[in-house]
Amino acid sequence: MRENPSFALTDPDQVRQLVREQSWMTLVSATDEHGLVVSHYPVMLDEAADGIVLLAHVGRPDEQLHELGRHEVVAIVQGPHGYVSSGWYGVAPAVPTWNFTVAHLYGTPEILAPQQNLEVLDAMVTYFERHQAEPRLMRGTAEDAGYAERLAKGTVGLRLRVERFVAKRKLSQNKPAETVTRIIAGLEGDGPFANPVLAADMRRQHGC
């Protein structure tokens, strides 16, 4: 992601919405002992907090590898993205590009106590299972609750209050309406670069 003002996403509420919709982060730490450490974990928004606050967990021993709580980390949350063919631009000179939404979220994690971690894990399961016709909650039965509590001991919960962020939403905002329409049609088609999720995001961005 180029660090420039073009297509900058500066609205914290839109970044919060990105986290709600994507719920998967790449966690990057520049550590003293291990150098760069990169992990991937589910993430959810702390809806009760002011600002942008992430709730997540890592599997042991990632909390040690990342040196969590000792320094700033960056959580990368990425929205729909994909290739945009120059053939969708019409007859004018053109080159292909990549449309995307991404946010780099910076802060120093707070390590959660075991009971807090369990509560976050429970809330995360509920957050996703609510979409199921018959949700299976983490503590829905005594057996599931006991199993989850045993597994939770192998995880470490964290709360990341985002102190600053750099985000970008590049969805052909600089193109004429007729070009945007052709790009969306290409993404909604059946070709090799069909990408209906990205097309839907573009429709939302452009109000079409």
Side-chain angles (χ1 to χ4, degrees), residues 50-73:
D50 294 328
I52 305 171
V53 180
L54 309 181
L55 296 171
H57 67 277
V58 300
R60 298 181 187 274
D62 272 9
E63 85 285 4
Q64 298 176 23
L65 296 176
H66 280 275
E67 300 173 350
L68 293 182
R70 291 169 50 184
H71 50 68
E72 186 178 63
V73 302

Side-chain angles (χ1 to χ4, degrees), residues 35-50:
L36 287 175
V37 178
V38 182
S39 297
H40 308 270
Y41 285 101
V43 63
M44 65 183 295
L45 199 66
D46 185 348
E47 298 286 0
D50 294 328

Side-chain angles (χ1 to χ4, degrees), residues 164-186:
R164 60 189 177 93
F165 68 85
V166 179
K168 185 169 288 194
R169 175 167 282 147
K170 178 183 173 295
L171 298 174
S172 301
Q173 298 98 315
N174 60 334
K175 301 301 180 185
E178 59 270 22
T179 301
V180 171
T181 299
R182 283 196 297 270
I183 293 171
I184 291 174

Side-chain angles (χ1 to χ4, degrees), residues 124-168:
M124 186 171 287
V125 172
T126 301
Y127 179 78
F128 291 109
E129 281 291 318
R130 66 196 170 112
H131 299 290
Q132 293 282 72
E134 297 182 7
R136 182 168 178 174
L137 303 182
M138 197 176 87
R139 300 181 185 180
T141 67
E143 292 80 3
D144 280 349
Y147 182 65
E149 289 172 8
R150 290 193 298 273
L151 288 183
K153 295 176 182 177
T155 70
V156 174
L158 64 92
R159 177 184 287 110
L160 178 64
R161 178 171 293 281
V162 176
E163 297 162 358
R164 60 189 177 93
F165 68 85
V166 179
K168 185 169 288 194

